[in-house]
Amino acid sequence: MKRLSIPIVTAVFAAIAVVAVTALLINIFTRQQEARNPYYRVVELTDETVDPAIWGKNFPLQYDSYKRTVDQARTRYGGSEAVPREPTLKDPRAIVAQSRLEEDPRLKTMWAGYAFAVDFREERGHAFMLDDQTFTERQDVVQQPGTCMQCHASVYVAYKKLGGGDLTRGFEIMNQMKYQEARKLVSHPVACIDCHDPSTLQLRVTRPGFLEGIQKVKAAQGITNYDVNRDATRQEMRGYVCGQCHVEYYFKGPEKRLTYPWDKGLKADQILAYYEETGFKDWTHALSGAPTLKAQHPEFEMWNQGIHARSGVACADCHMPYQRVGAMKVSDHAVRSPLLNVNRACQTCHRWSEQELRQRVHTIQDRTFQIRNVAMDALVALIGDIKKAKDGGASDADLDTPRRHQRRAQFLLDFIEAENSMGFHADQEAVRVLALSLDESRRGQASLSGGRLTEGEHTQTGPTPQEVSPGVAPQEK
């Protein structure tokens, strides 16, 4: 067999090279076209298009991941484990999350006399947020108001319709409704329209509670007339849209107006100081008689105290990280724990192995959980001591001081208990708050036994941080 001549071989390789380069150019052109057209307008979206499935016709990739919020995957200190149950006419759910009360019975003592002592389960994904609120046994204990809908439903259009086009007016009307009455006005859990403008697709805040709350925070920083939808940067909005609901709040006055207690700041003790000044209480503790408070999922407040917020990292960067689909960069709408998605959620910035990153998170959470347990034991002991004194004939005047210490200790502990990162969002802040809770429990017990440390500011016998590290601290976010 004769060997092919050099010219023929060269021609063959040249032809192959031409085909390869042509294919590459075609691929590049195709990807460029995809990037120029991130979606196809299959349907027309309006400011009244609530159903996310309709949005999904234009945005199938985002909608596909949004539907995966039904997934139940538990991490060491969060997520939900699927627990089967027998459906009933009253509660048609065949699957629920595990009971936190069964995991830690001390919570029943902590919340004695309150609806959370009857039913409290691990939070599930956004797909379940409306049904789990509708069918919780807490509805049998207390008649919840329509205020709850702000965070448990796609309520933007319902507000607008109730208010005749006025979002805030509709919010005020629904707040005063009974829960079951308001429930008839909504059909979906949080959906696309709650976070996106249908015309521009830009992020937006649609919850009046947050609009008012963040305005108070900015006013304290010297920024007047702050309008979050006008003034916030895009990166700030990637945290604010989550902060609409993942916050501490309370129902203010007989009109049950949803209010974020941020007048004095976003820290747990600043919020507690606000409650102390206003005299607000959620309920009277059934065992001790203390005027107690219930903290509610303050992820936004805790994130604001942590290194990620200080570094400009928003909620969506970790819980909804970008993913490449062809030429497009798409935000993952499954909204889950970064521990279930370490590669995209963490390794984009942190160049260590997944095992190392998980271990770092678990170290923070394990230490926080240990101190949380110590603080929980101290609070339960204080409640037991107050009850014993009350049963022994102590008057309300005698119990006033220990009850006030219980109120403070319980709220500070519950602030960390209710926050869903087990300290990770701001580890040193979580430990600081738990230390304050422990101190309040200690003071409460001391007051019952005639101890001296009962009132006033927390005692500080060591040097101040300024004395240790002279200079000006960076401005807080």
Side-chain angles (χ1 to χ4, degrees), residues 71-198:
D71 294 345
Q72 291 186 238
R74 193 173 188 181
T75 60
R76 183 176 295 186
Y77 292 106
S80 56
E81 181 179 306
V83 177
R85 68 176 298 277
E86 189 67 31
T88 64
L89 290 176
K90 185 177 181 180
D91 184 352
R93 295 176 298 172
I95 297 291
V96 293
Q98 69 275 16
S99 170
R100 293 287 304 280
L101 300 177
E102 292 176 4
E103 291 177 344
D104 190 343
R106 292 174 298 179
L107 295 172
K108 294 181 180 180
T109 301
M110 179 172 166
W111 297 324
Y114 200 54
F116 275 80
V118 175
D119 183 23
F120 176 50
R121 296 181 178 275
E122 191 68 67
E123 292 82 357
R124 297 199 285 175
H126 285 170
F128 302 108
M129 62 193 298
L130 183 54
D131 282 351
D132 284 353
Q133 174 72 9
T134 300
F135 298 115
T136 176
E137 293 177 42
R138 296 195 295 274
Q139 297 283 9
D140 299 330
V141 179
V142 62
Q143 177 59 63
Q144 296 185 327
T147 318
C148 299
M149 287 303 167
Q150 174 172 279
C151 294
H152 285 275
S154 181
V155 80
Y156 172 73
V157 173
Y159 280 165
K160 296 274 283 195
K161 288 182 177 179
L162 274 177
D166 186 327
L167 184 72
T168 301
R169 178 58 184 152
F171 162 74
E172 293 169 341
I173 293 172
M174 187 176 287
N175 286 343
Q176 299 180 56
M177 291 180 172
K178 293 182 178 180
Y179 180 87
Q180 295 302 336
E181 182 185 0
R183 178 64 180 82
K184 297 174 184 177
L185 304 178
V186 298
S187 303
H188 300 279
V190 65
C192 316
I193 197 169
D194 297 292
C195 303
H196 292 280
D197 184 300

Side-chain angles (χ1 to χ4, degrees), residues 382-413:
L382 172 59
I383 292 171
D385 289 346
I386 296 175
K387 182 180 184 302
K388 182 178 179 180
K390 184 177 72 168
D391 294 344
S395 67
D396 286 339
D398 294 332
L399 297 176
D400 180 65
T401 295
R403 282 170 173 167
R404 278 187 280 124
H405 284 300
Q406 180 200 333
R407 167 186 168 88
R408 298 169 192 163
Q410 183 158 327
F411 177 76
L412 294 167
L413 169 58

